[in-house]
Amino acid sequence: MTPEIHDLCKFLDASPVNFHAVAELERRLRAAGFEALDMADRWALRPGDRRYVTKNGSALFAFVVGRKPAADEGFHIIAAHSDSPCFRVKPNAEILCDGGIVKLNTEVYGGPILYTWFDRPLSLAGRVMLRGTAPLRPETRLVRFEMPLLTIPHLAIHFNRGVNEGNPLSKQKDMLPVLGAIGPGESHQGLLRRMVASKLGIKDENDILDYDLSLYDTTPACTTGMNGEFVTSGRLDDLSMVHAALTALLATAETPSGATRVMAIFDNEETGSGTKQGAGSPMLAHILRRIAAAQGCDEEDYLRGVARSFMISADNAHGVHPNYAEKQDPTNHPYLGGGPCIKINANCKYMTDADSAAVFRALCERAGAACQDFVNHSDVAGGSTLGNILTSQIPLRGVDMGAPVWAMHSARETASCSDHIATTRVFKEFFSL
Ligand code: CO
């Protein structure tokens, strides 16, 4: 395994859910000299300063202040998302079944391929809110039960002989995970709260006011293929693009640049981006405006900066599937190992146009990376992503792209190691402009 892919796997394993992905980003940024800024404080920035801001603990925006004010050189932005489809624990989740078996009530987050979550060693991770010094200031703690804790057992084939001929699933009935078995006299009520309290060393479980807990697969990321040419893991969409953006930002942080480099990692892409920490919010616009203001730019100068800016919206694409080549567009067959894909859609689900695609192709040329085109088969409805949602907040010039994957939104997706390395190289070229 190359050092780049080893580091990607470490990043994926450290990031079971969005909150932990952001905490891991913070840890790596701080180690590289980036300092936290608070949206509630006044900002003073000098050229070359490395700073980051988080939102809700699940979105993160890191930047290196350019040598020139925004009006002269603008912003170079790479956007990606921290969230992935999963199952979130509902309030009052414990359900007692025959024999003291306790299962958890959950709600589906985003659009996972449901049956890929069966019969896996699952665990729980997320954030816990503790009673703070004032009602508006609860204390946040991250929690992660490292050990396999849960499983969603599939129904035996003997109870459904038609299971391999198609098996519709109910999110409420079929997908509830088993947490364990309790003994006589033990109560299932508040079990999860007691487990969280004990895991975090909290003496009075009533100090836990609320939590966001999600299921994750404990199986670590690894390479596969006879030459180790693929990487397989949960959450490659979109943490592989987050990792490529971070690697490029850290590698170029010392390189002098007139433009301000920005890495924007949003939450809630998988549910439509419509939250304060999602791409539909004005969060990034506020940050860019405040960077410009700290550089002495007025509103007109800021808008001049926006006009000089460029964004890469990085979210994975679909590589042609060896068993389903017919699902792909007839003349565009992006494959795993063929390089990053430019994502193109006539109805503007992607922000790419010929102008921004030309920019990305030129960057790939500079990086010595091959580049592929992804368009949907015209009879297949495609997904959408961050780019066109962001442009409703800031009219940025930019491109939608992503490394191709198989099995997008499966509990385990597969990508190509060489595509990841190539994507990182292209991002470094962009941040070196
Ligand atoms: Co995605």
Side-chain angles (χ1 to χ4, degrees), residues 81 83 85 237-238 269-270 314-316 343 384-385 408-409:
H81 64 90
D83 62 320
D237 170 16
D238 192 26
E269 190 277 338
E270 300 294 354
D315 199 355
N316 293 92
K343 295 158 77 174
S384 84
T385 179
M408 188 180 284
H409 293 190

